[in-house]
Amino acid sequence: GEDVEQSLFLSVREGDSSVINCTYTDSSSTYLYWYKQEPGAGLQLLTYIFSNMDMKQDQRLTVLLNKKDKHLSLRIADTQTGDSAIYFCAENPPDTGRRALTFGSGTRLQVQP
Amino acid sequence: NAGVTQTPKFRVLKTGQSMTLLCAQDMNHEYMYWYRQDPGMGLRLIHYSVGEGTTAKGEVPDGYNVSRLKKQNFLLGLESAAPSQTSVYFCASSYPGLAGDTQYFGPGTRLTVL
């Protein structure tokens, strides 16, 4: 994941909003994704955004995309203890025909009661 | 639908031993992938397949081989395991053009090479 960068750790209190940031490098990626990984489990897709969109909202999740700065963020409203997990952003660059994803190293979200 | 399943869930090998990891999906997906996940790192692509009988190298293919004899199965082989291959291995599948080319992941196989 050297092409996609994320901060390693974020701690918030239950009920607050969480914002997880990601910087990607391939401006030709078609889609950008957010995945969630709980301990000992595989990756679960949270949401994705098409590269020609600026924002996507899905219940408590809001994704913002700034193509000029190659910056992607995930906001979780009213964060709950069940949101504690590692969050990965990913892009689908053209080097594998957009068939495989390039992942960031993940942001560990800790939600304190 | 079981989605994407992986066997085994855990395995311990000695250096030089061989093994095969099996991935199966029941979603009729065309594309399948093998990734490895190491501590503090994101997932890195090992090999992938865009259809039955086809495979291609990813970012970190050395020491691994794959086969896709049936559309629903994607096998990852280690011919001579090395400690550097200690990792968690994830399989994924996707259907082109479906839901943003979303990849669906299996639960992972934790492999330790002593």
Side-chain angles (χ1 to χ4, degrees):
Chain A
E2 62 178 352
D3 295 333
V4 180
E5 295 185 353
Q6 301 178 237
S7 53
L8 290 180
F9 186 76
L10 175 66
S11 181
V12 300
R13 291 196 175 277
E14 192 173 18
D16 289 349
S17 292
S18 307
V19 179
I20 301 171
N21 295 301
C22 171
T23 302
Y24 63 98
T25 59
D26 199 317
S27 59
S28 61
S29 290
T30 313
Y31 293 99
L32 296 124
Y33 307 83
W34 284 104
Y35 281 86
K36 176 184 180 182
Q37 185 180 35
E38 296 180 349
L43 275 70
Q44 171 193 357
L45 177 74
L46 280 179
T47 188
Y48 65 92
I49 186 167
F50 190 47
S51 59
N52 69 352
M53 297 172 64
D54 298 324
M55 185 181 82
K56 180 178 180 180
Q57 190 153 2
D58 184 1
Q59 299 183 332
R60 292 191 298 123
L61 306 178
T62 302
V63 177
L64 296 178
L65 175 59
N66 181 331
K67 284 199 73 173
K68 176 176 170 290
D69 295 335
K70 298 190 185 72
H71 185 262
L72 181 74
S73 68
L74 174 69
R75 178 177 180 270
I76 305 173
D78 187 24
T79 312
Q80 304 297 307
T81 53
D83 295 324
S84 293
I86 301 176
Y87 291 80
F88 293 93
C89 66
E91 60 176 344
N92 66 338
D95 53 353
T96 57
R98 308 188 192 290
R99 292 159 181 164
L101 302 180
T102 299
F103 287 85
S105 55
T107 299
R108 183 177 295 275
L109 174 64
Q110 181 182 70
V111 183
Q112 298 176 352
Chain B
N1 281 355
V4 180
T5 58
Q6 294 182 233
T7 52
K9 288 186 170 50
F10 302 94
R11 186 70 185 270
V12 178
L13 291 179
K14 295 181 180 178
T15 297
Q17 287 185 318
S18 63
M19 77 163 295
T20 300
L21 283 67
L22 171 64
C23 175
Q25 52 95 5
D26 61 1
M27 297 177 283
N28 199 35
H29 284 174
E30 290 293 328
Y31 298 169
M32 296 187 75
Y33 315 82
W34 276 106
Y35 294 89
R36 60 177 288 173
Q37 183 180 33
D38 299 300
M41 299 180 72
L43 279 68
R44 292 182 293 168
L45 182 68
I46 305 172
H47 286 279
Y48 65 101
S49 167
V50 299
E52 183 178 319
T54 71
T55 63
K57 293 181 180 179
E59 181 186 353
V60 288
D62 294 341
Y64 304 95
N65 57 75
V66 288
S67 64
R68 182 110 180 260
L69 298 179
K70 293 183 179 181
K71 185 177 183 178
Q72 64 268 32
N73 295 336
F74 195 27
L75 280 63
L76 178 71
L78 286 73
E79 291 183 347
S80 179
S84 61
Q85 294 177 304
T86 294
S87 189
V88 182
Y89 291 86
F90 288 100
C91 176
S93 69
S94 68
Y95 196 90
L98 179 67
D101 297 333
T102 295
Q103 292 187 18
Y104 296 86
F105 283 81
T109 295
R110 187 174 296 274
L111 175 66
T112 301
V113 183
L114 302 175

